[in-house]
Amino acid sequence: MVLRKWMKISFVLVLFISWILPTTSWASEADESGTFTMKVSSQMPNYGDTIEVLISGHQLIDVYAFEINLEYDPTRLKFIDAKSDAPGFSVPPIVKDTHIQIAHTKVGKGKGLEGEQSLFKLHFQAIQIGNNELTLSSVKIVDSKLGNITKQINTRSTLTIHHPYAFDDLDSFDWAVAAIEDLASQGIVNGTGERQFSPASAVTRADFLVLLMRALGLMGTVGQLFDDIETDAYYAQPVAIARELGIVQGDEMNQFHPKASITREDMMVLTDRALRISNHLIQTGDQSDLTIFEDVSLLSDYAFTSVATLVKIGLVHGYDNQVFPKETTNRAQAAVLIYNLLTYIK
């Protein structure tokens, strides 16, 4: 019994001694043993997701032990573990910089693995958005006669890690993420490209009005067009309806300036009018609602009451003790206002 146990241990030691020797050209079954593949559970995981990488062998012939080498980007993927379902035991993974080495061997005398076999399952966590290339660089195999060979694989798989949100460019706008994601899920706001929202981009007067009309579901008779709006413009009808309803008025030249960036005070004026016309607002703000803001003197006369009202009902909060009435509105700010508006009228 003791002798048999010692023979098993000796065999494993010999096996691992042979494993670390340079690859030989011995004629053995290892020279002919199969192919190796890598399968990733998701090519487009979300930030924070766990990704499984399956390394498999195919058409194996007497694979008694194997060593697998992979390359990855540790700034985007965090290595968690590696496990093998093959009979025998695994050596603890060696992880250094961008390289991962994992190894496994059968125990005792007998033939190695044959045919199809799942060799290792590795798990990673996605820790940074962006592209990451995962490479199965090589597999070293040892047969039951201790013949060994290293196969260069160099199979690559590109992972594109996304935010768990609809858009990938909201990192600096955490205060607006919930609003943007909710509105996007309802089809009220759209992105500007593939998984892009462009939160810092200015909003035009026409686009904000379209967004406001869509959010409130305002319909009506198409009124007279402004002179600076083409009849086939995507915003022509909503602007004409808004004009007929009294939400917009235009200037003395019968122009609306649809492509101009909307200021924060004009955004609030249009919102105030739309809420009143849709019978969602009866309150009116005054000077007392604006005492916390240091830039009230910058408000246009026509915007004063609208801004005070939206502050009073909690749709606008300003920041740094200012309301910034003359600054242009960006897409994130517009989305938050619309989100607050919809929350208010529920």
Side-chain angles (χ1 to χ4, degrees):
M1 175 79 95
V2 175
L3 180 59
R4 218 175 309 152
K5 185 176 180 181
W6 173 246
M7 287 175 65
K8 282 187 178 180
I9 295 172
S10 299
F11 182 82
V12 172
L13 290 174
V14 170
L15 175 62
F16 275 98
I17 291 171
S18 71
W19 201 342
I20 62 174
L21 291 175
T23 300
T24 70
S25 58
W26 298 342
S28 72
E29 292 180 356
D31 297 323
E32 303 173 358
S33 184
T35 58
F36 301 89
T37 59
M38 174 176 65
K39 182 179 180 182
V40 180
S41 60
S42 174
Q43 299 293 136
M44 301 180 69
N46 288 326
Y47 174 86
D49 281 358
T50 297
I51 303 152
E52 183 174 90
V53 178
L54 174 63
I55 310 297
S56 298
H58 311 275
Q59 300 175 322
L60 301 180
I61 302 174
D62 190 25
V63 174
Y64 195 92
F66 49 89
E67 171 195 286
I68 298 171
N69 293 278
L70 302 98
E71 304 296 331
Y72 77 118
D73 182 352
T75 67
R76 299 193 187 278
L77 291 178
K78 178 183 178 182
F79 174 68
I80 300 175
D81 61 26
K83 298 179 181 179
S84 178
D85 294 330
F89 71 90
S90 301
V91 178
I94 299 174
V95 182
K96 184 176 181 181
D97 299 326
T98 63
H99 184 75
I100 300 174
Q101 184 179 86
I102 49 181
H104 187 88
T105 181
K106 291 187 70 177
V107 178
K109 291 187 177 182
K111 295 283 284 186
L113 301 174
E114 303 280 344
E116 304 291 311
Q117 178 71 50
S118 168
L119 301 179
F120 262 106
K121 290 179 182 176
L122 297 89
H123 294 97
F124 297 86
Q125 183 180 30
I127 59 173
Q128 178 62 49
I129 64 170
N131 292 333
N132 171 68
E133 192 171 78
L134 190 64
T135 304
L136 172 59
S137 54
S138 67
V139 177
K140 185 173 184 177
I141 54 177
V142 180
D143 64 23
S144 60
K145 299 176 183 177
L146 304 186
N148 67 86
I149 187 172
T150 298
K151 296 197 171 192
Q152 299 301 322
I153 310 297
N154 292 322
T155 295
R156 293 177 171 83
S157 181
T158 299
L159 284 68
T160 302
I161 300 170
H162 293 300
H163 270 304
Y165 312 121
F167 307 106
D168 288 336
D169 57 349
L170 303 180
D171 280 348
S172 300
F173 293 82
D174 55 308
W175 50 271
V177 169
I180 293 169
E181 290 292 320
D182 184 81
L183 295 180
S185 69
Q186 298 181 59
I188 295 173
V189 299
N190 301 309
T192 56
E194 181 67 26
R195 296 187 62 84
Q196 298 295 300
F197 185 74
S198 304
S201 296
V203 178
T204 66
R205 289 168 56 80
D207 281 348
F208 180 74
L209 186 59
V210 170
L211 178 61
L212 184 61
M213 300 286 282
R214 185 188 301 157
L216 290 173
L218 289 173
M219 305 295 290
T221 304
V222 176
Q224 179 188 358
L225 287 177
F226 291 104
D227 290 343
D228 57 349
I229 294 181
E230 300 292 334
T231 57
D232 59 350
Y234 66 88
Y235 47 78
Q237 183 172 321
V239 173
I241 292 173
R243 183 177 193 178
E244 188 69 16
L245 291 173
I247 297 173
V248 297
Q249 298 169 353
D251 62 16
E252 65 278 2
M253 301 297 292
N254 192 37
Q255 294 189 341
F256 179 66
H257 306 283
K259 297 180 181 179
S261 299
I262 193 168
T263 62
R264 286 171 55 81
E265 66 177 3
D266 281 356
M267 173 182 69
M268 289 181 256
V269 168
L270 296 184
T271 302
D272 177 38
R273 291 175 183 169
L275 282 171
R276 293 186 189 282
I277 286 167
S278 61
N279 296 316
H280 288 113
L281 181 60
I282 58 174
Q283 298 184 65
T284 300
D286 56 31
Q287 176 71 44
S288 64
D289 297 301
L290 300 176
T291 54
I292 64 170
F293 300 114
E294 300 169 356
D295 58 350
V296 173
S297 62
L298 299 179
L299 280 168
S300 299
D301 291 342
Y302 69 85
F304 190 93
T305 300
S306 292
V307 174
T309 300
L310 265 59
V311 169
K312 181 183 184 71
I313 65 176
L315 263 63
V316 173
H317 303 95
Y319 54 98
D320 294 335
N321 295 325
Q322 298 186 76
V323 73
F324 301 101
K326 304 301 182 185
E327 287 192 4
T328 57
T329 301
N330 63 38
R331 286 171 54 82
Q333 292 167 339
V336 169
L337 177 60
I338 296 298
Y339 177 79
N340 290 343
L341 177 155
L342 292 175
T343 302
Y344 172 77
I345 66 177
K346 283 182 179 178

